[in-house]
């Protein structure tokens, strides 16, 4: 007597598409950038008009050279007042923060989360081959985590 199988026909399983974990897929790429030759007064006007707290400073080849923020402007405004020096004739290159924490576009959002935790930054410039390609914020990482909540990470 032949053996009967009570199993149903096997289904062709379609592999699940894995959601991306890379920074490049969650970063903002439409950035307002500044030049180190711009005046501080012009930058302050842009910050207020665009309702942003800062932005990357790049050279002519889109290489990151620093970051200018409201905090940088306030710091130099207070120092100028203290030393009785004019403030508004300064350039971004004199005021910006030159040493900047960055992340590469091909890193994972988990690496970004670790950097945010260790550095206490709210946003990080994203580089690809040494050029600025975007910016990722803490909020972008949280959004990515929500989109990936059903994934299993191995």
């Amino acid at each position: 007597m032949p053996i009967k199988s009570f199993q149903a026909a096997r289904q062709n399983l379609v592999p699940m598409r894995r959601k991306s974990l890379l920074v490049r897929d969650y970063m903002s790429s439409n950035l307002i950038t500044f030049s180190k030759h711009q005046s501080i007064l012009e930058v302050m006007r842009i910050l207020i008009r665009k309702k942003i707290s800062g932005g990357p400073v790049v050279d002519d080849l889109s290489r990151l050279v620093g970051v200018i923020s409201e905090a940088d402007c306030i710091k130099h405004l207070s120092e100028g007042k203290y030393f009785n020096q004019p403030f508004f004739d300064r350039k971004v290159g004199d005021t910006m923060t030159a040493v900047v924490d960055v992340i590469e576009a091909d890193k994972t959002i988990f690496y970004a989360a670790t950097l945010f935790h260790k550095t206490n930054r709210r946003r990080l410039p994203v580089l690809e081959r040494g050029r600025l390609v975007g910016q990722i914020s803490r909020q972008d990482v949280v959004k990515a985590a929500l989109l990936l909540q059903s994934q299993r990470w191995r």
Side-chain angles (χ1 to χ4, degrees):
M1 176 183 268
I3 299 175
K4 292 185 178 182
S5 173
F6 294 101
Q7 284 184 330
R10 292 188 180 249
Q11 297 175 352
N12 289 336
L13 295 176
V14 178
M16 282 183 26
R17 285 186 52 177
R18 295 191 79 100
K19 294 179 183 171
S20 173
L21 298 174
L22 299 180
V23 166
R24 78 167 40 91
D25 297 319
Y26 298 98
M27 70 182 189
S28 301
S29 56
N30 188 14
L31 301 179
I32 296 169
T33 60
F34 301 100
S35 162
K36 64 181 180 178
H37 305 293
Q38 282 180 281
S39 75
I40 288 299
L41 185 59
E42 179 185 359
V43 169
M44 290 169 65
R45 286 181 178 142
I46 293 170
L47 293 178
I48 297 300
R49 188 174 64 243
K50 299 291 185 176
K51 298 179 182 173
I52 58 174
S53 61
V57 181
V58 295
D59 64 11
D60 296 334
L61 300 175
S62 294
R63 291 182 299 219
L64 184 70
V65 295
V67 172
I68 187 74
S69 68
E70 291 171 332
D72 294 324
C73 295
I74 290 170
K75 175 184 170 195
H76 287 284
L77 181 63
S78 67
E79 288 175 356
K81 176 71 173 165
Y82 182 77
F83 294 111
N84 199 23
Q85 296 174 340
F87 173 74
F88 295 116
D89 62 344
R90 286 193 169 175
K91 302 292 182 194
V92 170
D94 302 328
T95 310
M96 70 182 187
T97 302
V99 178
V100 182
D101 294 319
V102 298
I103 189 167
E104 291 290 326
D106 61 350
K107 297 293 184 187
T108 67
I109 58 164
F110 302 112
Y111 183 76
T114 302
L115 273 180
F116 282 125
H117 177 69
K118 287 182 179 178
T119 63
N120 205 24
R121 301 278 185 232
R122 287 184 279 171
R123 63 190 69 80
L124 292 169
V126 179
L127 303 181
E128 194 164 40
R129 291 186 226 107
R131 291 207 165 91
L132 179 71
V133 293
Q135 173 179 279
I136 191 159
S137 68
R138 287 180 174 193
Q139 187 176 43
D140 295 330
V141 173
V142 171
K143 286 178 184 176
L146 287 174
L147 290 172
L148 298 171
Q149 68 183 347
S150 65
Q151 293 287 310
R152 290 191 180 162
W153 302 300
R154 297 178 194 196

